[in-house]
Amino acid sequence: MAVSERAILKSEIRWAWVVGGIVAVILGAILFAALSMGMNPPSNREFVDPKTLHLSSEFTEANLGTSVDPNGRIVARMITTQFEFVPNCIVLPADRDVTLRFASPDVIHGILITGTNVNTMVIPGYVAQVHTRLTKTGDLLMPCHEYCGLGHSQMLATVRVVPPEQFRPDSQGRVSCGDDR
Amino acid sequence: MARRPKSGPKTPRRDKRGAAGTPPEQRTLDRPWRLWASVVVVAALGVGGLLGFVVVPAAQKENAGLSMGHAMQRAAGLEPGSPAAPQPLGTASAIPVSTVSWDPEIMAILASGNTERGATLAAQTCVACHGEKGISQTEFPSLAGQSAYAIYKQLHDYRSGARVNDQMSPVARALSPSDLAAVAAYYSDASKEYAALGSRDHIGEANIDRLAREGDSRRRLPACLACHVNGSGGPIETPVITGQSKDYLLRQMNDFASGARRNDVYGRMRNISRKLTPQEREQLARYFEGTF
Amino acid sequence: MATIAEPASAAPKRRRTAAATRELQTGRLVAAHVWVGVAAFAVACLLGVWQMWARSPIEAPYHTASNYFRSVTLHGISMAFVLTTFFIMGFGYYVAETALRRPLPGLKIAWGAFALGLAGTLMAALSVISGNASVLYTFYPPMTATAWFYIGLVLVVVASWAWCVLMIVAMREWKAANPGQAVPLAMFATVANAVMWLWTTLGVAAELLFQVIPAAIGWNGMVDVGLSRTLFSWTLHAIVYFWLFPSYIAFYTMFPRAAGGRLFSDTMGRLAFILFLLYSLPVGLHHLFMDPEHSNGFKFIQMFLTALVSVPTLLTIFTITASAEIAGRMRGGRGLFGWVRALPWDRPMVLATGLAFLMLFFGGGGGLINMSYGMNAMVHNTSWVTAHFHLIFGGTVVIMYFAIAYAIWPSITGRNFANMGLLRIQLWTWFVGMMVMTLPWHWTGLQGQWRRVAAFDYSDPMIAAWGPWVIVSLIGGILLAASALLFVYNLAILHRSGRPGARRTIDYAQAVHPPGRVPAALNGFGLWNWLVALLMLLAYGYPIAQFFIDPPPQAVIHRVAG
Amino acid sequence: MADEAYPADAHDYESEAEELERVDSAMRDTPRGALVVSGIAVALLMLGWLILYFFVFIPRGTVG
């Protein structure tokens, strides 16, 4: 045979360099986003007992929704439960750092906000948390994206993203959608 | 299956043992493979670990105001949060509507089924209105076919004041939570054979049948039957409503809608009832009673 | 890569052997396995079309939430567990007999495993149909179905374990009878898959046996959800490679021969299968990127290892393209691209391989986005992901199952296909249907169309804009269902008619340089099992141990069984 | 011919010697074409990934 196996393997190795290059470019871009913009998947090993969630202080019914901490941090807290979000609408400012915190008293849920990078699973037992900065305004849909039972399809919420100057907390630092949603 | 790793190393070992049978060129062939394969795997793990546990948190820690040690602990999952952002702290106080809690002790009693304690308590206080087997002939709700969770939840709420009823509140307050759990377990167990009540035929107009089985996506209303039937996979404390008196059902929906009744955790039924029109509430009540 | 470059003197031994007329010993066994898989597949395709109809703006019959999730569960179970497991087992038995050219050890055990798997399948299917197991094929504890559902699936897995053992034994016996010789590539790959599957199923088996089944029976009232998701993720990625292995076996050992050429490199084939064994396992956390219970550090490590598992696929693309180039040039193709046109595209195996690579391009590209750490947030649980795995599974995996079935069916039935046109039509409609179905899903998924819903509210303007795309993908689905039924017809017809006198065996592709003496590392799995153990220990050790070191609060079981 | 040849007992060439000769001559140019074809494929793949990264992922805002 004119072409030795060694030559064949040499051409494979040449190709392997191409493959290595692709993998390196992808890893490089991922690392760049992680190092320069703090882009990570939403990890948060913070426990909360689903069986007594409604008795907890943070996720008590009256404390849900968007609020501004005394130190100026904007935090939105929501319950994902079979088969609705509580509250069903939250207000967030665009172009500001915001933190979303979710907890489930029953089964697994998951959320995303359409057209953004906000996405997390909500696992009973944990506080699911996403830090983000929203880049566009308007009423965005926030559906439950993980099968949570027969009412899963009707489980949706609204995220009202307003320009920063229209984001006006009340005296307790709270902002709500105002309507019944 | 456990034999896999055990039987795994046999090939190389056999080579050593049966050295006489293995030609020397085979052995020189094998050695670099063992070495380089291990090097590649260990290197992959090493680089991945270095990047994930050291480089990324080191670059991200400043934004979260963390020291290197804490950033690395977050990266390893020993502390909550991501090393890229500060962790908020809650300052609110708990103001629950219903104080029911599914602690292991209560769960154990609810799972224990028909006990003497439960039977005695039920005979003393419940049968007069709710019927011996939990089938009520009046507008008092039937308990037959309900889960122990559903009965306990309501009893506990009557006891704590989260739900108020002239007859039930004093009854529930007279018993301890574990007694309430025993009664709940008794009724859900004793009435198992009468679960047939919950399978009564639903008859109603098309739009009501649709609301019950499919819900209404436009109004974000889940199907009634996504929860209110045993084995739906919905919230554990949801009662079965099929076969229940229509007057009782309608009053509950109206009370939820007006806010007069508010012991539903996180306002699930208050929200749903508000979205239903008064006419729909009435139709649904008849639909579930089965006398449409 | 110091492999011995033996001169290709060894004359191709299998050439022009007298057509074997003796029936295959495993013929009926293989046919039984394939038919169980195909039956499940056909049902699942029809359900799939109904599901897409239900989600579209067009009113669908029987459309309730309860029916929808029953259907989704049955679709997932049939495709992911029944079609794949039975097809892979059947094909493995076939390879063991035809590639090793020895009788299969333990034919009776194989039939026993078949019966066990079939019984398990029926148990699980009846549980779903009766409405007592609408938990989808990924289970989702704390939702808990009837115990019969899980026990049925465990029986299917146990049956596949018996298959794994038989494959390993068959290879050992062959090696003992042929000391110093290289195990034929098709069998080497089949055993690689068996070994990988034994590792893979540990996760789901632990989840079912220690968490889910005790809860379903009623022994446990609560479950650690994070742990169960982690154990399932152990299985969730490698199971895809379990499904993919037969496709790759066909790429390496059947396609070059069908194209009339040679395999470019036997060594690279072995290496690719070994890399799959190594790196498809310690990467399952990338299914949990959006979960709170695992730290960024472990997610990063497994993302890094996931990037490495793309390597064997990218190597395969080159090796198989080069093999195609050999065939094309042998048939007179010239120049940089002329060899592509010279390939015999009218042969099902060649056509299917070409189409599989096209679908792998889109499916694999989607996969690269999915695995990209923070970037996963852009697409997680949207239709994008559904499109990705339908392209990988329905595209690369299933279209090669078609091609394999078409390749082996004559040797099983003793008849040759009379009308090859129907085979080509079937493959083309499958390809076109898959592209028409999945490309719109990518588009709507990027806009945030979420997964696993029974109905969309088309009165919402944003969702209304997806409507036309949903209808386009429904048309793709209808094409797919038609193609699936044609596939059933093509296989069935050969049992009754067709041209008799087919050879009772097949020949596998030869490499340009057939393997001579190969290193033990490329002829067995001893070394690799140790390295898999090391990888799994470091990648999954702490992520599992954390649930025991610092146990999180558990969730109450939600029963989905009346 | 293709029909006749299927499934795998295809003997596309007159004799063994002819087949070997064809393999030999084919190998003179292989894998140049394969390198180009698979090179183009992965280049397009890479391009698609980068387009999504720069034009969808990054503009949608930071998450973590």
Side-chain angles (χ1 to χ4, degrees):
Chain A
M1 183 75 40
V3 181
S4 70
E5 175 149 31
R6 192 172 288 274
I8 288 178
L9 291 178
K10 220 178 235 169
S11 69
E12 291 273 8
I13 287 171
R14 213 177 309 146
W15 175 252
W17 280 107
V18 176
V19 171
I22 291 167
V23 171
V25 169
I26 290 177
L27 285 176
I30 293 167
L31 265 177
F32 174 76
L35 301 184
S36 70
M37 289 171 267
M39 299 272 232
N40 286 323
S43 293
N44 190 33
R45 275 187 62 77
E46 182 181 349
F47 299 158
V48 63
D49 193 340
K51 300 182 288 296
T52 55
L53 188 65
H54 61 293
L55 307 179
S56 68
S57 53
E58 180 173 1
F59 290 99
T60 195
E61 229 179 285
N63 196 41
L64 302 174
T66 311
S67 62
V68 183
D69 286 0
N71 55 12
R73 294 177 48 82
I74 301 161
V75 183
R77 296 181 173 86
M78 284 185 111
I79 293 294
T80 57
T81 181
Q82 290 168 324
F83 294 100
E84 62 188 21
F85 286 86
V86 187
N88 204 241
C89 175
I90 54 168
V91 180
L92 291 173
D95 304 320
R96 300 267 305 271
D97 285 333
V98 296
T99 300
L100 303 164
R101 282 165 73 77
F102 304 88
S104 162
D106 37 54
V107 298
I108 299 170
H109 301 274
I111 66 101
L112 62 78
I113 303 179
T114 49
T116 74
N117 282 331
V118 175
N119 199 324
T120 183
M121 300 297 300
V122 187
I123 306 296
Y126 298 84
V127 177
Q129 176 172 275
V130 182
H131 307 283
T132 190
R133 200 178 246 271
L134 297 162
T135 53
K136 59 176 164 187
T137 58
D139 274 10
L140 307 179
L141 283 180
M142 178 162 70
C144 173
H145 66 42
E146 188 61 280
Y147 178 60
C148 58
L150 298 180
H152 167 57
S153 317
Q154 284 77 33
M155 187 171 164
L156 279 106
T158 304
V159 177
R160 186 161 296 162
V161 188
V162 297
E165 65 275 11
Q166 284 173 30
F167 183 77
R168 297 194 199 89
D170 66 12
S171 58
Q172 272 121 41
R174 309 190 70 84
V175 188
S176 66
C177 287
D179 52 10
D180 244 2
R181 276 196 141 175
Chain B
M1 192 164 357
R3 50 190 287 274
R4 261 305 61 225
K6 230 190 283 164
S7 66
K10 253 193 192 148
T11 322
R13 212 186 291 145
R14 195 200 290 135
D15 289 348
K16 261 179 246 160
R17 237 191 295 128
T22 313
E25 72 265 25
Q26 177 77 55
R27 266 176 290 154
T28 47
L29 205 59
D30 289 351
R31 209 171 299 125
W33 275 94
R34 276 206 288 275
L35 176 69
W36 286 108
S38 312
V39 167
V40 167
V41 165
V42 171
L45 281 165
V47 173
L50 185 73
L51 290 172
F53 290 124
V54 183
V55 175
V56 170
Q60 292 182 343
K61 67 181 195 296
E62 234 141 279
N63 198 31
L66 291 173
S67 69
M68 188 61 198
H70 284 289
M72 282 176 68
Q73 289 195 39
R74 282 194 184 182
L78 300 171
E79 280 181 19
S82 135
Q87 196 75 343
L89 287 170
T91 49
S93 55
I95 325 168
V97 282
S98 165
T99 55
V100 72
S101 146
W102 307 111
D103 53 59
E105 188 204 342
I106 293 298
M107 298 274 286
I109 300 174
L110 292 177
S112 67
N114 185 352
T115 58
E116 215 168 292
R117 174 97 188 119
T120 316
L121 286 168
Q124 285 167 0
T125 45
C126 314
V127 290
C129 299
H130 293 287
E132 198 185 339
K133 289 291 179 188
I135 299 174
S136 154
Q137 304 300 332
T138 58
E139 65 154 329
F140 297 114
S142 289
L143 303 178
Q146 305 288 2
S147 73
Y149 296 113
I151 303 172
Y152 174 74
K153 161 78 167 56
Q154 298 309 322
L155 289 174
H156 191 279
D157 283 353
Y158 283 127
R159 187 175 187 277
S160 72
R163 185 177 178 186
V164 183
N165 178 281
D166 292 344
Q167 282 148 298
M168 283 307 297
S169 298
V171 171
R173 266 199 296 273
L175 298 173
S176 69
S178 54
D179 282 343
L180 297 180
V183 173
Y186 164 79
Y187 261 112
S188 94
D189 205 31
S191 65
K192 249 183 204 147
E193 62 215 271
Y194 294 96
L197 203 62
S199 63
R200 193 182 276 184
D201 275 347
H202 301 114
I203 323 149
E205 287 120 330
N207 67 318
I208 292 300
D209 191 59
R210 202 182 172 104
L211 211 47
R213 292 176 194 279
E214 289 174 54
D216 181 356
S217 293
R218 194 175 53 77
R219 286 185 285 171
R220 300 180 182 175
L221 275 172
C224 307
L225 293 170
C227 299
H228 287 288
V229 58
N230 279 332
S232 67
I236 51 170
E237 70 269 25
T238 320
V240 175
I241 55 175
T242 302
Q244 213 63 280
S245 135
K246 68 174 183 291
D247 297 335
Y248 176 77
L249 289 176
L250 181 60
R251 195 166 61 245
Q252 302 315 312
M253 279 189 276
N254 285 338
D255 284 354
F256 276 131
S258 70
R261 181 180 166 187
R262 47 191 301 115
N263 70 321
D264 52 333
V265 172
Y266 292 124
R268 284 186 292 230
M269 271 315 291
R270 275 168 283 169
N271 268 328
I272 290 172
S273 303
R274 266 200 303 272
K275 288 179 194 170
L276 295 168
T277 65
Q279 196 203 351
E280 280 173 335
R281 285 178 220 151
E282 206 182 312
Q283 287 173 311
L284 280 169
R286 276 187 282 148
Y287 176 85
F288 279 105
E289 189 193 53
T291 58
F292 210 90
Chain C
M1 214 154 306
T3 326
I4 5 92
E6 256 196 2
S9 61
K13 282 174 224 136
R14 301 195 216 104
R15 195 176 173 84
R16 303 213 194 283
T17 45
T21 47
R22 188 174 50 83
E23 237 178 84
L24 280 172
Q25 176 215 19
T26 56
R28 295 168 68 87
L29 181 71
V30 175
H33 278 85
V34 172
W35 271 118
V36 170
V38 169
F41 167 73
V43 171
C45 281
L46 295 175
L47 290 174
V49 173
W50 177 79
Q51 287 157 219
M52 295 175 63
W53 185 3
R55 291 158 55 100
S56 78
I58 307 165
E59 192 88 1
Y62 311 110
H63 184 190
T64 65
S66 155
N67 282 347
Y68 183 83
F69 291 112
R70 233 182 269 204
S71 174
V72 176
T73 308
L74 205 56
H75 177 83
I77 296 286
S78 306
M79 291 291 195
F81 296 143
V82 184
L83 164 66
T84 49
T85 308
F86 278 88
F87 188 91
I88 291 165
M89 286 164 69
F91 183 48
Y93 293 133
Y94 185 87
V95 169
E97 186 179 358
T98 55
L100 298 183
R101 302 186 165 241
R102 310 162 49 86
L104 178 77
L107 190 63
K108 281 203 178 120
I109 298 173
W111 275 111
F114 171 78
L116 191 69
L118 187 59
T121 301
L122 293 175
M123 264 165 78
L126 289 176
S127 308
V128 178
I129 292 166
S130 65
N132 288 313
S134 296
V135 292
L136 314 199
Y137 90 102
T138 35
F139 305 156
Y140 299 112
M143 271 191 273
T144 305
T146 167
W148 296 111
F149 172 69
Y150 305 111
I151 293 170
L153 294 178
V154 166
L155 293 183
V156 175
V157 171
V158 170
S160 72
W161 286 344
W163 171 81
C164 292
V165 172
L166 289 180
M167 291 300 104
I168 292 166
V169 169
M171 186 176 92
R172 291 201 164 189
E173 287 186 357
W174 185 91
K175 275 167 108 172
N178 301 272
Q181 287 197 44
V183 177
L185 184 58
M187 191 59 192
F188 180 78
T190 301
V191 176
N193 202 16
V195 170
M196 190 190 75
W197 184 238
L198 288 173
W199 280 100
T200 304
T201 42
L202 282 181
V204 72
E207 185 202 5
L208 287 180
L209 295 177
F210 297 118
Q211 291 192 287
V212 174
I213 291 178
I217 292 174
W219 295 337
N220 287 353
M222 284 183 260
V223 65
D224 183 339
V225 181
L227 175 61
S228 75
R229 285 177 71 77
T230 307
L231 291 174
F232 196 75
S233 82
W234 171 301
T235 301
L236 198 48
H237 193 68
I239 195 173
V240 179
Y241 285 95
F242 174 63
W243 305 333
L244 265 172
F245 255 77
S247 307
Y248 279 68
I249 292 171
F251 290 159
Y252 278 100
T253 70
M254 298 169 103
F255 161 75
R257 167 119 205 148
R262 297 287 173 102
L263 173 62
F264 187 56
S265 167
D266 181 88
T267 305
M268 290 311 285
R270 286 166 199 270
L271 214 54
F273 289 118
I274 285 165
L275 287 173
F276 280 136
L277 166 63
L278 274 187
Y279 290 115
S280 63
L281 278 151
V283 298
L285 277 197
H286 69 211
H287 290 262
L288 305 184
F289 274 161
M290 293 300 116
D291 276 35
E293 73 270 16
H294 290 290
S295 69
N296 292 138
F298 280 102
K299 286 178 182 172
F300 193 95
I301 288 192
Q302 297 218 4
M303 180 275 291
F304 189 80
L305 296 173
T306 309
L308 296 185
V309 83
S310 69
V311 170
T313 292
L314 291 168
L315 292 178
T316 298
I317 288 171
F318 176 69
T319 306
I320 300 308
T321 311
S323 308
E325 186 180 354
I326 296 173
R329 291 193 188 284
M330 284 171 72
R331 307 175 74 85
R334 298 264 169 277
L336 268 186
F337 302 105
W339 55 272
V340 178
R341 285 181 49 197
L343 286 169
W345 292 111
D346 55 342
R347 298 182 187 172
M349 179 61 74
V350 178
L351 178 62
T353 301
L355 299 177
F357 271 47
L358 281 175
M359 290 189 276
L360 183 62
F361 175 84
F362 290 98
L368 283 179
I369 301 278
N370 300 344
M371 67 125 231
S372 296
Y373 197 55
M375 210 166 162
N376 182 250
M378 183 173 79
V379 291
H380 174 72
N381 267 354
T382 67
S383 305
W384 171 282
V385 177
T386 325
H388 157 70
F389 72 74
H390 276 80
L391 277 169
I392 294 289
F393 182 91
T396 315
V397 171
V398 169
I399 204 167
M400 292 311 290
Y401 286 9
F402 296 153
I404 289 169
Y406 289 152
I408 69 177
W409 227 238
S411 61
I412 285 172
T413 60
R415 295 192 181 85
N416 279 315
F417 287 102
N419 185 353
M420 300 295 280
L422 282 181
L423 273 56
R424 288 192 289 270
I425 290 173
Q426 192 268 321
L427 294 172
W428 273 111
T429 45
W430 187 262
F431 168 73
V432 173
M434 191 55 76
M435 296 306 280
V436 171
M437 180 174 81
T438 54
L439 291 183
W441 284 356
H442 282 106
W443 177 241
T444 54
L446 268 185
Q447 295 171 65
Q449 188 192 49
W450 52 101
R451 281 178 74 181
R452 304 189 182 106
V453 285
F456 283 111
D457 166 24
Y458 286 100
S459 67
D460 182 291
M462 178 177 187
I463 298 174
W466 298 337
W469 293 110
V470 175
I471 292 175
V472 169
S473 60
L474 170 60
I475 294 168
I478 293 169
L479 269 179
L480 287 172
S483 175
L485 295 179
L486 182 55
F487 174 63
V488 173
Y489 173 80
N490 283 342
L491 285 197
I493 197 87
L494 216 55
H495 285 287
R496 325 174 115 258
S497 59
R499 293 181 294 109
R503 286 171 78 233
R504 291 299 195 152
T505 186
I506 64 164
D507 294 335
Y508 293 91
Q510 285 179 45
V512 173
H513 296 273
R517 184 179 290 282
V518 295
L522 294 183
N523 210 29
F525 300 96
L527 168 66
W528 308 113
N529 273 319
W530 282 110
L531 291 175
V532 170
L534 177 72
L535 278 164
M536 289 310 270
L537 184 70
L538 291 178
Y540 260 107
Y542 183 73
I544 290 176
Q546 66 178 6
F547 295 103
F548 299 96
I549 296 169
D550 184 12
Q554 303 201 337
V556 179
I557 295 298
H558 286 58
R559 296 197 189 280
V560 187
Chain D
M1 147 117 228
D3 289 11
E4 220 38 62
Y6 206 78
D9 53 345
H11 296 303
D12 292 348
Y13 312 103
E14 286 294 306
S15 68
E16 221 163 274
E18 191 208 331
E19 183 172 348
L20 281 174
E21 191 188 304
R22 279 175 185 253
V23 172
D24 236 4
S25 79
M27 283 303 289
R28 271 195 282 276
D29 293 319
T30 309
R32 222 172 302 148
L35 207 59
V36 173
V37 169
S38 37
I40 292 171
V42 296
L44 287 174
L45 204 67
M46 203 60 246
L47 189 70
W49 192 92
L50 289 171
I51 286 174
L52 279 164
Y53 179 84
F54 282 112
F55 297 105
V56 183
F57 176 54
I58 297 294
R60 285 185 174 186
T62 62
V63 279

